[in-house]
Amino acid sequence: MNPQPILLRKDQERRLLAGHCWIYSNEIDTKATPLKQLEPGQAIEILSNRERWLGHGYVNPHSLICARLVSRSPEQHLTPALWIQRIRDALALRERLYERPYYRLIFGESDGLPGLIVDRYGDLLSVQITTAGMERVRGELLAALEQVLRPRAIVLRNDTAVRALEGLDQQVEIALGEPADTLVLDEGGLAFEVAPLSGQKTGWFFDQAENRQRLARYGVGERVLDVCSYVGAWSLRAAHLGARRVTTVDASASALERVAANAARNGLSDRIEPLQGDAFEVLRELRDQGARFDTVILDPPAFIKRRKDEKDGTQAYQRLNRLGLDLLEPGGLLVTASCSFHMGRDGFQRTVQQAARKSARSLQLLEVGQQGPDHPVHPAIPETAYLKTLFMRALPHF
């Protein structure tokens, strides 16, 4: 059965020709292609207004991002053979980059599989499907992952809120094997217990791994503050680098319990001071107590999840960074991150600078980090370049 063709409106193919793969509902010629006749996840052929063939993809008539282009080759239909080839291509990159199998294996659009995220924890795969098109071929994708990687277990972490935008339910499932609730991974010589079944996202934040290694270059001093710590990846790295006291802040009691367990696992318990509470409230309390730190690390969740959140989210980033700077010793290191793809690098840098001026501090930008190469950036899709991590020095004079 041939895929259903959809026609774009006049001149709406420009972004696709430049390399992007998203098609919005207002870019489709709905007179020529009535969307109500299409099923969520259905395979399609994408044509320009003049019927120029553009690619194979899938559609969801109920979503703002109405279609996604997957293949630009007329012969390359959305079949199990394509999934296998894309997975093999993604694996080849990661095997060049990493000695051990702990990384993001599939990063959606950047790996030619929009709507699919796969994190690899040794012989366990944590899979997240975020679109109706990928959900429709879920069985084929899982079979392809089994064929290429031969995992012992596969966990489906389909509990992300973005699935609701595609009309999909949210749940966690075990698709293969009998995985334990926790496992231990190694990052830069430190051992961390993570929970692929119940932890945040898919259990671990591989995207900041390269940036955490960069701490060694700058030194962290004796007193470190790690805000939004999750299970302690930044905190333990700082302690490992010589910090005598690391104050580790997170709103989640279970996350801080994991921090303590991970600290004990690495012989660093005497250097970690967990502190539960809302990040903003804890920072204000520390400021009022006169606390000061040689390094402040701010790695919050995304404050701007939708374009309409931009104003409030920008203000939240500014408040958080101002509070962090109020606690930083002159000459200290500020490591501050944003994972909001609606806030670009320049906007984030400007927001931190505004926070510095309100805190009467002057900063030097030392380095800008992004997500690691297991989260490759698609040059034509700016949304894939979501992570910005600024390494900044607070000047010892105003």
Side-chain angles (χ1 to χ4, degrees):
M1 182 177 177
N2 292 327
Q4 168 73 38
I6 67 165
L7 267 68
L8 303 184
R9 296 172 59 198
K10 185 179 179 181
D11 297 329
Q12 296 303 311
E13 71 271 20
R14 293 175 180 174
R15 193 173 66 258
L16 296 182
L17 292 175
H20 212 298
C21 71
W22 294 357
I23 301 169
Y24 291 93
S25 56
N26 62 1
E27 295 172 336
I28 294 176
D29 184 345
T30 54
K31 290 183 179 179
T33 314
L35 292 178
K36 63 182 179 181
Q37 296 181 3
L38 303 174
E39 300 177 3
Q42 182 176 341
I44 56 170
E45 289 186 313
I46 303 160
L47 308 178
S48 74
N49 180 256
R50 296 184 178 182
E51 299 193 4
R52 174 183 177 180
W53 193 89
L54 298 171
H56 291 292
Y58 59 78
V59 68
N60 187 348
H62 307 307
S63 176
L64 176 61
I65 303 175
C66 190
R68 286 171 167 85
L69 189 155
V70 179
S71 168
R72 298 177 188 272
S73 170
E75 295 77 29
Q76 207 171 46
H77 293 257
L78 308 193
T79 65
L82 177 61
W83 313 139
I84 290 170
Q85 184 57 56
R86 294 282 168 90
I87 293 168
R88 284 175 174 164
D89 288 344
L91 178 62
L93 171 64
R94 277 68 178 186
E95 289 185 336
R96 286 174 57 187
L97 296 171
Y98 302 99
E99 293 182 1
R100 304 189 64 193
Y102 295 90
Y103 42 68
R104 175 147 294 181
L105 173 64
I106 304 291
F107 184 47
E109 286 81 355
S110 293
D111 285 302
L113 292 166
L116 180 66
I117 298 294
V118 181
D119 281 348
R120 187 179 188 187
Y121 300 91
D123 56 6
L124 182 147
L125 301 180
S126 184
V127 177
Q128 193 169 82
I129 296 172
T130 61
T131 61
M134 291 288 104
E135 183 69 29
R136 191 171 176 124
V137 295
R138 178 171 78 165
E140 294 179 3
L141 292 170
L142 295 177
L145 287 167
E146 286 190 57
Q147 180 174 331
V148 175
L149 290 132
R150 303 295 181 189
R152 175 185 55 83
I154 298 178
V155 176
L156 287 168
R157 286 301 304 268
N158 290 334
D159 53 346
T160 176
V162 73
R163 281 175 59 91
L165 301 176
E166 292 274 320
L168 302 173
D169 60 359
Q170 299 174 45
Q171 58 185 332
V172 177
E173 300 176 66
I174 297 173
L176 176 69
E178 298 179 356
D181 185 46
T182 61
L183 56 84
V184 177
L185 63 81
D186 175 277
E187 183 181 287
L190 294 173
F192 295 91
E193 182 182 82
V194 298
L197 280 166
S198 59
Q200 294 181 26
K201 301 293 185 179
T202 65
W204 184 249
F205 292 92
F206 285 116
D207 54 358
Q208 284 279 29
E210 303 273 330
N211 295 319
R212 289 189 283 263
Q213 298 296 319
R214 287 183 169 92
L215 274 180
R217 179 177 186 181
Y218 300 106
V220 295
E222 294 193 354
R223 297 162 297 170
V224 174
L225 175 64
D226 176 17
V227 181
C228 302
S229 67
Y230 188 39
V231 298
W234 285 103
S235 289
L236 268 64
R237 178 61 52 196
H240 181 70
L241 291 172
R244 293 184 178 274
R245 187 186 71 192
V246 181
T247 301
T248 303
V249 179
D250 201 275
S252 168
S254 61
L256 291 178
E257 288 173 2
R258 283 240 160 83
V259 173
N262 286 328
R265 181 172 285 103
N266 291 279
L268 297 169
S269 295
D270 60 333
R271 301 188 178 199
I272 303 297
E273 179 185 26
L275 194 55
Q276 184 185 358
D278 173 80
F280 295 92
E281 294 177 3
V282 170
L283 290 178
R284 291 189 189 98
E285 292 173 2
L286 290 171
R287 179 192 61 191
D288 294 344
Q289 294 167 8
R292 292 294 181 269
F293 300 89
D294 301 305
T295 294
V296 171
I297 301 166
L298 307 173
D299 191 9
F303 289 150
I304 309 174
K305 295 183 178 179
R306 298 165 296 181
R307 180 66 68 183
K308 67 179 184 178
D309 300 330
E310 189 168 2
K311 181 178 179 181
D312 290 343
T314 298
Q315 292 175 349
Y317 281 117
Q318 187 178 122
R319 289 198 308 272
L320 184 69
N321 280 275
R322 182 178 179 181
L323 288 166
L325 285 165
D326 286 344
L327 296 166
L328 191 60
E329 288 280 17
L333 179 69
L334 172 69
V335 181
T336 181
S338 165
C339 59
S340 300
F341 73 75
H342 288 298
M343 171 172 274
R345 168 182 164 171
D346 292 344
F348 184 49
Q349 186 174 319
R350 184 166 55 251
T351 298
V352 177
Q353 170 63 10
Q354 290 168 348
R357 300 316 302 155
K358 290 187 176 183
S359 189
R361 308 297 295 271
S362 292
L363 297 174
Q364 294 172 317
L365 178 61
L366 308 178
E367 185 175 359
V368 180
Q370 64 179 34
Q371 66 255 30
D374 57 341
H375 294 64
V377 173
H378 192 305
I381 306 179
E383 293 84 358
T384 62
Y386 68 94
L387 183 63
K388 292 77 56 180
T389 302
L390 309 182
F391 292 78
M392 309 186 86
R393 176 177 179 247
L395 286 170
H397 52 82
F398 178 63

